[in-house]
Amino acid sequence: MTQPLGRACSGLAPTTRTTLRPVPDEAAMTDVWRLVAAAQDGDVAAFGELYDRYVDVVYRYVLFRLGDRALAEDVTSETFLRALRRIGSVSYQGRDVGAWFITIARNLVLDHVKSSRYRFEVPTAELGETREEHAGPEQSVVRDATNAEVLRCVDKLNTDQRECIVLRFLHGLSVAETAEAMGRNEGAVKALQHRAVRKLAELLPRSLR
């Protein structure tokens, strides 16, 4: 049942992953955690480098959840303010520190949703900005229409399933990082992902399966 999701997202997930969050290699991971350690020792410039590395992925995650540029900017700023205050609490666990930033952002988004009953929205135009520069107009139209349909189906999933799909397939987090962001164990995330994929496969139009 995973084939429909893979085919439908073939034009969406890779571009989003490349633009938002390149998968860190071992050297890059080591470099990032050196910055974390320096920031924990009071090096403001090191935290500034962390900000530069992760502000885009945090902003786009928040924007995807809230659908409002100004609000996403505010929440992103608050995310890094909280991260700066709490930098001493994070420790290396073999994962990218980006998952920690996403966890903080997710909690802020949830707080906002609870306080304002803000409806989850999918700003498809924002995702369109990540498309490859060399794509022709015909390909862009087809891909954007496909993306919009997939995202409409994602919007019909329940809250947990939707969150899992967004983190795993649209923002490229690993199972471990998704588990950390959602406050669940890896087994629970795998089961949730399986159910989400099955449900999404049922919702997708036959032409996209």
Side-chain angles (χ1 to χ4, degrees):
M1 295 297 293
T2 58
Q3 179 64 21
L5 180 68
R7 289 186 57 193
C9 291
S10 61
L12 177 72
T15 300
T16 305
R17 175 187 283 269
T18 300
T19 303
L20 294 179
R21 187 174 178 274
V23 179
D25 57 25
E26 185 175 347
M29 186 85 76
T30 299
D31 184 47
V32 164
W33 282 98
R34 284 175 181 163
L35 290 173
V36 171
Q40 290 174 332
D41 288 337
D43 187 337
V44 177
F47 187 85
E49 289 191 46
L50 290 171
Y51 174 89
D52 290 340
R53 287 178 184 238
Y54 293 101
V55 65
D56 286 343
V57 68
V58 171
Y59 171 75
R60 289 189 177 276
Y61 169 76
V62 175
L63 181 62
F64 193 96
R65 292 299 309 272
L66 299 179
D68 182 290
R69 280 179 175 270
L71 182 58
E73 290 172 359
D74 289 343
V75 173
T76 299
S77 295
E78 179 61 23
T79 295
F80 284 95
L81 285 173
R82 290 197 181 188
L84 180 59
R85 291 195 294 266
R86 302 174 183 177
I87 192 67
S89 68
V90 66
S91 59
Y92 179 71
Q93 297 179 339
R95 296 195 284 268
D96 185 8
V97 73
W100 182 64
F101 289 122
I102 289 292
T103 300
I104 296 174
R106 178 177 183 267
N107 289 336
L108 287 170
V109 168
L110 291 177
D111 288 344
H112 176 76
V113 170
K114 290 176 183 177
S115 64
S116 65
R117 297 182 180 179
Y118 200 97
R119 181 183 177 275
F120 176 91
E121 295 181 355
V122 179
T124 56
E126 295 298 333
L127 289 183
E129 293 178 0
T130 66
R131 61 179 176 267
E132 298 175 29
E133 294 293 332
H134 62 268
E138 297 85 0
Q139 292 92 334
S140 295
V141 169
V142 172
R143 183 179 56 229
D144 289 349
T146 301
N147 290 352
E149 186 59 43
V150 171
L151 294 172
R152 276 193 291 270
C153 292
V154 170
D155 195 23
K156 295 178 182 178
L157 300 174
N158 68 39
T159 301
D160 287 340
Q161 291 174 344
R162 187 169 59 224
E163 183 80 3
C164 182
I165 291 296
V166 167
L167 292 173
R168 288 283 290 120
F169 294 102
L170 301 185
H171 291 286
L173 268 65
S174 67
V175 170
E177 291 167 343
T178 300
E180 181 178 341
M182 297 187 70
R184 295 169 177 255
N185 62 47
E186 293 183 28
V189 166
K190 289 178 181 178
L192 181 61
Q193 177 181 314
H194 178 70
R195 292 193 298 271
V197 169
R198 288 178 62 104
K199 182 62 177 178
L200 190 56
E202 295 172 4
L203 293 169
L204 284 171
R206 186 173 297 276
S207 61
L208 296 181
R209 300 181 183 181

